[in-house]
Amino acid sequence: MTAISFDDLINAQRAAVEANEAAKGVPYSAEAWKPWFDAAADFQAKVMEYAKTEGKDRVSVEMDVKKAVRHAAVEVAAA
């Protein structure tokens, strides 16, 4: 398996955020919200693999990625 980079984690988190926004725009159904669930699960799996490979705490990695994604969104909105 290819090593996961921090940029891969950021892209996976962005995909999960976008899928979450799309899911919130429609009434709940397992089918309609499945892309969000899948994107979130993909992000979590990548975080766990990255943390294990890098010898880092999973929670710290997840928080660093989410912080990077949030701050990038704020910078884009401010521009």
Side-chain angles (χ1 to χ4, degrees), residues 5-72:
S5 71
F6 194 77
D7 285 340
D8 293 332
L9 296 178
I10 288 174
N11 291 334
Q13 175 61 14
R14 285 183 180 146
V17 168
E18 290 171 7
N20 175 261
E21 291 298 320
K24 290 191 293 187
V26 297
Y28 173 78
S29 76
E31 183 179 311
W33 286 28
K34 186 176 183 337
W36 173 35
F37 297 148
D38 291 346
D42 179 60
F43 171 67
Q44 289 298 321
K46 286 179 178 177
V47 166
M48 289 190 312
E49 182 179 336
Y50 179 87
K52 183 177 179 182
T53 301
E54 297 294 317
K56 296 182 177 181
D57 175 56
R58 184 199 63 79
V59 174
S60 296
V61 170
E62 181 176 348
M63 296 304 293
D64 289 345
V65 172
K66 289 183 175 184
K67 185 177 184 181
V69 169
R70 276 194 311 269
H71 286 287

